[in-house]
Amino acid sequence: MACARVPLDEQQVTEPGPLGKERTLPALHPERKEERYFVPYKPPPADGSPAEVEEFLEHAKFITEDLEWLLALPHDKFWCQVVFDESLQRCLDSYLHHAPRGLDLTALPSSPAVADMQRSIHRVVFLTFLRMATHKESKEHFLTPAVFGEIIYDNFLFDIPKILDLCVLFGKGNSRLLHKMIENIFIQQPSYYSDLDETVPTVLQVFDTILEKCGLQCEGATAMGPMKLNAHRQPTAMTMSQQELVDIILYLCDSTTTIHAFQDIFPAACSSFHSHGFVSRLASFYEAAVPDLEKAVRKRNFDDKALQEDLWKRLSHSCRKMVETAHLLLHHTCLQPILEGQENMQTFADELLQHFTSLLPEKRFLSDYDEQFPIADDISLLQQALPVIDETRTSYLLQGVESAWDSVGRRKPQSRTKSKASS
Amino acid sequence: MSPPRLTGALRSFSSVSKKDDFTEQLYDLKTKRLKRQKLFAREGLTWEKIVRFCTEHQDKAKHQAISQELKNLLLAAKQIVGTEHGQEIIESAAVFLFETFHNKDHVGTEETRAIKQMFGPFPSSAAETSYACVARLLAPLRDSQVEDFIQIHSSRHSSHRGSTFGCNIAFSYDCYTLDPLEELPWSGIHEKSMNLDF
């Protein structure tokens, strides 16, 4: 057993070696790892034939038993296993990759036994990640924070895709715990901020890829050179295969939900997204892709009407998440500092107004945004916090918002129009 | 196959995560079972302890019958693990069967699953035989005697679960579900998709 009140990374232990002779080793040492062989996770079978169900249950039982065993290990043995057992990391990774999300088409397991087993795995996987994100379990059991930061980063115990997976899988009901976990990870290892910064362009690339797949010109395309005359023959949302359309909408739904879950749980990430001009890129994407995808879902001939309805809901859900993401970003990067009375309030206010102004051409996005998060309310907040806000600028902006509603052929909800008029 | 996911794209196209080939199946169920059998053989109850327990607590006159039951249990264990294994693995399997059936009155689904989990597919007659052997071996003994013996020696029944990390954490199983911005009535989709091009 390791000694107390000394960080685990500085402890030495004396224990019998393979030949029975006593030896002294660092408490964190590969030879202290147990040979356990964690098996990788496989998702519940889609159609649920008895043999497949049985295989899933057997496989899953190994995982729950092994992870429960892991969670029952003392602090020092737990960390030896986590750092040196590659099969454990593969098992956890495979869960993050393949675990069904609540939004998946076939999210609900067919049998109660499968559902129960899936719930058991879900819980132990979360607790394992929670323990891996905790550098101090008690006064006696802890790691030096800087060493903890190195261990989790150098061994890829956490990385940005894993953190995003954790948010979308567990964030709905465990947001406070997840927030603490992720906050601790980022505090102890600031390199995760650099990784996040490096990841945002790839996230933006995902939106560009969707535009490209829908035959819509993406922002980067103009810079790549002249287009061939036959370039417009690329399939569009109306002409691509039905499976491709389904995949695109599923991809969009997953991407928007994941990004929103992450930013909602860990608002400190908003500034990284913001610094890459995420709001304006998202709004341009929305403006270009959403009408085409909506048209395709409405007008294409679906044999399976339930699928058509489901795609509509997913697209609509994605729209909501994109609007909410934009609001989260603007709120945390511009509005929140003003409400908190931070220094340079004027700069933040100017930035917020600049953002709203730059959204004026994106009329569909702007009207959807304004419907959920009335821009007039934010401007009113600004006017209360900073009485010197340029009124010509705010009036121009509000007129622009009204014009966006008109140009997409929609009317603002009556109650809001009235309340605005009376104010 | 998993549907297309953002994090899948990030793993493929960014340099912030470890590149792993998940199609490679390093640890199949057979390897896992063998590993479990070895782990089980290494700790807790042993065949010698079972032999001693069964003989010590019963009349000498019955020792020959007991010895025969123990042999039958070993034979059933051999059928379950396969003939290619050595004596050590067979004895360990017999220990597992003894532990599994010591307080059971039939071979139920739970027991069948536990044996399959440990050894893979097996002949059901071997499970029935081993159940009957264990029942006959323990019939003359008091239940509490047997329970005490198992509790003291068995690693499967040791109760160190109280200190498991996270046992007091309230975990929520809630997950994100579809939350559409705009629920169009089903008829709405149909109306708009109808093309009355006269």
Side-chain angles (χ1 to χ4, degrees):
Chain A
M1 193 66 180
C3 24
R5 301 290 168 122
V6 175
L8 178 62
D9 42 284
E10 290 176 17
Q11 287 178 24
Q12 300 277 320
V13 288
T14 303
E15 58 184 25
L19 301 171
K21 200 177 166 187
E22 292 238 310
R23 61 187 179 162
T24 301
L25 292 171
L28 269 178
H29 193 278
E31 285 182 27
R32 300 195 67 221
K33 171 194 83 169
E34 301 281 338
E35 290 300 327
R36 192 78 190 185
Y37 293 106
F38 290 80
V39 292
Y41 169 82
K42 285 178 179 175
D47 55 354
S49 72
E52 282 178 328
V53 165
E54 198 56 36
E55 194 192 339
F56 168 79
L57 291 176
E58 190 179 9
H59 216 94
K61 187 88 171 27
F62 282 137
I63 297 175
T64 49
E65 275 182 10
D66 284 346
L67 291 181
E68 278 167 6
W69 166 84
L70 180 78
L71 290 169
L73 285 179
H75 187 243
D76 57 330
K77 297 289 272 181
F78 170 82
W79 279 100
C80 284
Q81 210 68 29
V82 159
V83 174
F84 302 116
D85 189 343
E86 208 178 302
S87 74
L88 166 62
Q89 290 312 320
R90 276 176 172 268
C91 167
L92 294 172
D93 281 7
S94 63
Y95 187 78
L96 297 184
H97 274 237
H98 301 301
R101 277 69 171 145
L103 298 168
D104 283 352
L105 277 175
T106 50
L108 291 175
S110 44
S111 86
V114 171
D116 282 350
M117 186 55 86
Q118 180 56 36
R119 281 162 67 90
S120 302
I121 300 191
H122 198 58
R123 181 175 173 276
V124 282
V125 168
F126 177 76
L127 290 177
T128 306
F129 275 107
L130 176 62
R131 197 174 188 190
M132 283 175 8
T134 307
H135 68 280
K136 187 174 181 181
E137 275 184 29
S138 67
K139 281 179 185 170
E140 289 81 26
H141 301 120
F142 61 97
L143 285 154
T144 308
V147 177
F148 165 77
E150 277 173 31
I151 287 175
I152 57 168
Y153 191 76
D154 296 348
N155 295 289
F156 294 95
L157 302 189
F158 290 95
D159 58 32
I160 299 297
K162 283 186 190 183
I163 293 170
L164 294 180
D165 279 329
L166 288 170
C167 287
V168 78
L169 280 167
F170 302 103
K172 172 76 174 168
N174 304 283
S175 58
R176 285 180 66 185
L177 265 176
L178 257 179
H179 171 79
K180 281 187 179 178
M181 283 165 67
I182 299 172
E183 188 178 49
N184 193 42
I185 290 166
F186 274 75
I187 287 174
Q188 308 310 339
Q189 181 50 273
S191 298
Y192 283 113
Y193 279 110
S194 320
D195 281 4
L196 180 58
D197 200 50
E198 221 176 289
T199 311
V200 177
T202 316
V203 176
L204 288 167
Q205 185 60 48
V206 164
F207 290 116
D208 287 347
T209 306
I210 293 175
L211 285 179
E212 216 172 302
K213 295 240 181 230
C214 294
L216 298 161
Q217 202 175 3
C218 62
E219 206 170 89
T222 46
M224 282 161 67
M227 285 173 76
K228 287 182 180 173
L229 285 174
N230 62 358
H232 64 274
R233 282 184 193 164
Q234 207 180 339
T236 64
M238 281 302 284
T239 60
M240 65 177 62
S241 73
Q242 186 176 299
Q243 189 54 51
E244 273 179 297
L245 180 65
V246 170
D247 281 347
I248 283 175
I249 292 178
L250 286 177
Y251 194 29
L252 180 62
C253 187
D254 174 77
S255 302
T256 51
T257 309
T258 305
I259 295 165
H260 180 263
F262 176 51
Q263 291 177 354
D264 190 30
I265 288 161
F266 187 55
C270 287
S271 51
S272 297
F273 282 83
H274 191 65
S275 66
H276 285 269
F278 200 81
V279 173
S280 57
R281 292 286 294 273
L282 192 64
S284 310
F285 168 81
Y286 192 103
E287 201 68 16
V290 168
D292 267 33
L293 288 169
E294 278 185 349
K295 186 178 157 198
V297 176
R298 278 172 189 266
K299 297 207 166 178
R300 284 180 63 140
N301 188 24
F302 286 83
D303 292 334
D304 181 356
K305 296 296 173 195
L307 174 67
Q308 184 179 19
E309 195 172 15
D310 182 76
L311 288 181
W312 178 265
K313 280 185 184 167
R314 281 171 199 280
L315 187 54
S316 182
H317 168 92
S318 309
C319 291
R320 177 189 282 277
K321 291 298 156 195
M322 284 188 272
V323 165
E324 286 178 356
T325 297
H327 178 256
L328 267 179
L329 285 173
L330 293 177
H331 182 86
H332 286 292
T333 54
C334 301
L335 204 53
Q336 191 68 24
I338 297 169
L339 298 177
E340 286 169 358
Q342 285 185 16
E343 278 179 33
N344 304 323
M345 279 164 63
Q346 188 62 47
T347 315
F348 287 117
D350 285 341
E351 201 183 333
L352 183 63
L353 290 175
Q354 180 54 43
H355 272 296
F356 284 143
T357 311
S358 71
L359 293 177
L360 289 178
E362 321 289 7
K363 297 186 187 307
R364 170 65 198 272
F365 176 81
L366 194 64
S367 57
D368 284 351
Y369 183 99
D370 189 52
E371 188 176 14
Q372 282 197 73
F373 306 104
I375 291 172
D377 292 355
D378 285 347
I379 288 179
S380 165
L381 275 175
L382 283 188
Q383 285 166 335
Q384 289 168 45
L386 292 159
V388 286
I389 288 286
D390 180 356
E391 217 168 293
T392 321
R393 199 176 172 189
T394 54
S395 307
Y396 169 74
L397 182 56
L398 290 173
Q399 275 172 19
V401 174
E402 294 297 326
S403 139
W405 278 90
D406 291 342
S407 60
V408 294
R410 295 164 67 200
R411 277 190 186 172
K412 272 192 176 187
Q414 202 58 32
S415 56
R416 284 192 43 216
T417 319
K418 272 183 190 166
S419 71
K420 264 186 66 194
S422 62
S423 67
Chain B
M1 207 178 108
S2 302
R5 284 182 182 145
L6 172 72
T7 50
L10 297 185
R11 284 187 176 95
S12 302
F13 301 116
S14 73
S15 55
V16 296
S17 55
K18 195 175 174 181
K19 300 284 175 234
D20 260 333
D21 180 12
F22 280 93
T23 54
E24 193 188 353
Q25 187 80 12
L26 274 186
Y27 307 105
D28 61 10
L29 293 183
K30 205 174 167 188
T31 319
K32 178 66 187 168
R33 281 194 201 103
L34 280 174
K35 195 73 222 168
R36 273 182 107 223
Q37 289 168 34
K38 283 182 187 164
L39 280 174
F40 181 78
R42 229 173 48 193
E43 52 199 35
L45 195 51
T46 61
W47 181 244
E48 287 76 31
K49 285 176 190 165
I50 289 176
V51 173
R52 206 176 314 133
F53 173 74
C54 291
T55 45
E56 264 176 10
H57 291 84
Q58 298 191 45
D59 295 342
K60 278 195 176 174
K62 291 182 183 168
H63 279 194
Q64 202 175 344
I66 291 167
S67 173
Q68 190 53 48
E69 290 298 353
L70 290 168
K71 266 186 200 165
N72 291 343
L73 182 56
L74 278 177
L75 276 175
K78 193 174 180 177
Q79 278 185 290
I80 288 173
V81 292
T83 47
E84 71 274 22
H85 292 288
Q87 188 64 14
E88 198 185 335
I89 292 285
I90 293 167
E91 285 182 359
S92 155
V95 172
F96 183 84
L97 294 168
F98 184 88
E99 278 193 53
T100 303
F101 291 124
H102 79 275
N103 54 359
K104 300 291 184 307
D105 54 10
H106 70 289
V107 185
T109 321
E110 198 187 315
E111 293 76 47
T112 309
R113 188 166 281 160
I115 299 170
K116 189 169 171 247
Q117 182 94 3
M118 186 61 110
F119 305 108
F122 62 93
S124 60
S125 59
E128 291 291 347
T129 308
S130 46
Y131 160 72
C133 288
V134 174
R136 284 193 292 269
L137 279 167
L138 300 180
L141 302 171
R142 289 195 319 275
D143 285 352
S144 59
Q145 238 179 329
V146 179
E147 280 306 326
D148 288 350
F149 170 72
I150 297 285
Q151 286 292 340
I152 290 166
H153 297 287
S154 168
S155 59
R156 283 161 84 191
H157 294 79
S158 56
S159 55
H160 50 75
R161 284 279 174 261
S163 59
T164 296
F165 177 90
C167 57
N168 296 323
I169 286 173
F171 176 74
S172 164
Y173 294 94
D174 277 2
C175 55
Y176 290 106
T177 48
L178 285 180
D179 182 16
L181 185 65
E182 183 187 7
E183 285 272 14
L184 274 197
W186 178 234
S187 58
I189 293 178
H190 281 301
E191 278 164 23
K192 302 235 173 180
S193 66
M194 233 185 283
N195 186 6
L196 304 175
D197 188 9
F198 296 112

